[in-house]
Amino acid sequence: MCPDAGADLDIRRAGPADTVLLQELYVEAARWRVSQGILLWDEKTFTREYIAGLMADYELFIAYSGGEAAGCFTLQWSDKSLWGERDRGDAGYLHRLVVTRKLSGLRLGTRLLEWAESYIRRAGKTYFRLDCMSENSGLNAYYRNAGFVYLETVPGDGWSANLYEKKL
């Protein structure tokens, strides 16, 4: 691995031409998570229609490094289903963050979070919010180490999510 891999990170809004690359990123992430015992995503979920739906419903971003897809994430401006009464229009919500395994260990996830934070701040929001499955101790620690504050655990049907926010 080249020590400068990821140094030229280019993050932009994803479009239909990025569909195959997005599918590859999400399927790779789903497979890796399963290999780690994290049963969060089913790789069959990430169809062309699913990706098109993400583009239509959210702001879907893709990061390139050296002309290759390096990672992606979605941003949305409301998330009542998880955040309930806390969702008052003053936050940006990050979901579906992935970094290709080929570039893991290069702090790309941190750089994507920093970029998203700046984007949310420029949109005039007060909070940067995200969630993750409560049983994923590694990811929970990652978000706390990135400066997010744990607020509460929200139960779902057979799952629970920890809510995190960062005041901007």
Side-chain angles (χ1 to χ4, degrees):
M1 179 70 51
C2 173
D4 290 333
D8 61 338
L9 205 58
D10 174 31
I11 303 168
R12 59 182 167 82
R13 187 87 178 253
D18 299 307
T19 299
V20 171
L21 295 173
L22 291 161
Q23 285 179 287
E24 290 171 1
L25 287 167
Y26 282 120
V27 167
E28 177 192 38
R31 287 179 180 165
W32 180 80
R33 287 175 178 177
V34 168
S35 78
Q36 302 299 303
I38 303 166
L39 305 176
L40 175 62
W41 293 342
D42 180 345
E43 67 179 85
K44 294 179 193 125
T45 300
F46 301 106
T47 63
R48 289 174 149 312
E49 295 77 20
Y50 179 84
I51 300 295
L54 291 179
M55 286 182 206
D57 296 340
Y58 309 108
E59 293 188 39
L60 177 56
F61 293 92
I62 187 165
Y64 287 91
S65 177
E68 293 187 44
C72 56
F73 58 91
T74 63
L75 288 177
Q76 58 197 69
W77 304 109
S78 181
D79 191 356
K80 291 267 187 210
S81 63
L82 281 176
W83 289 82
E85 293 299 315
R86 287 191 170 144
D87 184 352
R88 296 180 299 272
D90 59 351
Y93 300 84
L94 179 130
H95 289 283
R96 298 171 201 86
L97 172 68
V98 300
V99 172
T100 182
R101 302 308 307 157
K102 294 180 263 186
L103 298 175
S104 66
L106 298 177
R107 296 185 25 88
L108 292 183
T110 300
R111 291 175 61 199
L112 295 178
L113 287 174
E114 289 168 350
W115 188 94
E117 179 178 334
S118 176
Y119 186 84
I120 292 167
R121 182 180 287 113
R122 285 191 314 271
K125 303 301 180 181
T126 305
Y127 298 100
F128 179 11
R129 293 181 174 156
L130 49 80
D131 66 88
C132 67
M133 295 297 99
S134 59
E135 70 274 4
N136 189 336
S137 59
L139 191 55
N140 278 273
Y142 179 79
Y143 288 137
R144 285 191 305 275
N145 289 335
F148 289 87
V149 175
Y150 166 81
L151 297 177
E152 70 175 305
T153 301
V154 176
D157 186 16
W159 56 270
S160 61
N162 288 343
L163 304 183
Y164 290 93
E165 76 178 9
K166 184 185 280 191
K167 188 165 177 31
L168 303 178

